[in-house]
Amino acid sequence: MGSKETSKFISLILRHKPETIGITLDERGWADVEELISGINKTHPLTREELEEIVRTDEKQRYSFNEDHTLIRANQGHSIPVDVELEEVMPPEYLYHGTGEKYVFSIDEKGLIPKSRLFVHLSGDIETAIKVGSRHGKPVVYRVKAECMTKDGLVFYKSVNGVWLTKNVPIKYLSKISPQS
Ligand code: HQG
């Protein structure tokens, strides 16, 4: 298993299915590093040094260690209900959400919903939103009137790796933009 593949597997365990390797997360989303390594080692060799390297070099900085590196957690993206102590932050006027063309009909009807995750994920710039949307086929980008939402009492969080999160985005705050704009 290459390091990208190992990173994906770690993401699955720390965000969605810790039971895959027989471990649990605490209420703050932390897993014990020793348990994680020995759990992964049952099927794929992974040393502590390799784990440190994955966390250090991950292109989206998806994971954090605690201070003494005995615990590890994903910074965002969970489907299991954990509280990763997200910081409530005032957003800029607009944020962006990239999705696949196939979801547009439903989004235009229901707004953005978190589906299997705890939050809707938003990006600070259009380029990142296009990349996120491309994971779901032909990308479509929505502009979100974020500041306006806060005036109406809705709350935004920013994960330590810079992803904007909010519970739902009702349709009145959404407009589709063409990727060039
Ligand atoms: C769509 C990646 C139908 C939503 C990325 C999205 C991100 C609706 C899909 C992070 C809908 C869920 C999250 C509605 C929303 N009807 N579809 N009403 N509302 N959707 O993967 O935002 O590499 O759970 O538009 O970079 O794509 O994993 O969310 O297309 O930060 O670290 O339902 O995952 O990061 O898909 O991606 P996802 P996402 P990582």
Side-chain angles (χ1 to χ4, degrees):
M1 178 152 77
S3 85
K4 193 157 185 196
E5 207 185 318
T6 311
S7 182
K8 285 217 145 171
F9 189 47
I10 292 170
S11 197
L12 175 82
I13 290 158
L14 295 180
R15 289 170 169 176
H16 311 295
K17 292 183 170 180
E19 69 276 12
T20 309
I21 57 163
I23 67 166
T24 54
L25 309 183
D26 73 11
E27 68 274 17
R28 297 275 188 255
W30 295 111
D32 184 274
V33 171
E34 296 292 341
E35 283 182 21
L36 179 81
I37 293 171
S38 61
I40 289 177
N41 257 318
K42 282 180 201 149
T43 48
H44 304 90
L46 176 71
T47 64
R48 178 176 274 271
E49 291 66 37
E50 282 161 350
L51 180 64
E52 293 273 352
E53 171 84 6
I54 286 169
V55 172
R56 195 170 53 244
T57 60
D58 185 80
E59 84 270 17
K60 290 188 184 172
Q61 289 296 297
R62 292 178 178 89
Y63 321 106
S64 293
F65 287 111
N66 68 341
E67 219 164 290
D68 65 5
H69 289 215
T70 52
L71 302 174
I72 183 170
R73 72 181 173 191
N75 292 321
Q76 38 67 230
H78 299 82
S79 55
I80 41 181
V82 294
D83 169 12
V84 296
E85 302 151 290
L86 290 166
E87 195 193 350
E88 196 178 318
V89 180
M90 274 302 288
E93 184 176 11
Y94 297 117
L95 288 171
Y96 301 91
H97 178 84
T99 188
E101 201 174 43
K102 63 189 171 193
Y103 296 136
V104 165
F105 183 80
S106 170
I107 292 170
D108 287 347
E109 202 169 56
K110 296 189 203 130
L112 294 172
I113 55 171
K115 291 180 114 180
S116 63
R117 303 191 199 246
L118 300 177
F119 296 97
V120 170
H121 286 51
L122 302 166
S123 313
D125 63 275
I126 298 173
E127 207 190 335
T128 308
I130 294 170
K131 278 192 207 145
V132 174
S134 305
R135 293 160 55 250
H136 302 284
K138 190 163 181 249
V140 172
V141 175
Y142 282 87
R143 190 174 67 186
V144 176
K145 284 184 171 172
E147 196 178 46
C148 201
M149 285 174 67
T150 63
K151 288 186 181 140
D152 293 340
L154 299 164
V155 178
F156 287 81
Y157 304 93
K158 204 174 185 185
S159 62
V160 293
N161 60 335
V163 178
W164 288 93
L165 304 163
T166 194
K167 262 292 162 203
N168 286 286
V169 183
I171 38 181
K172 67 173 171 179
Y173 305 109
L174 288 173
S175 54
K176 275 191 280 297
I177 57 172
S178 56
Q180 307 83 280
S181 62

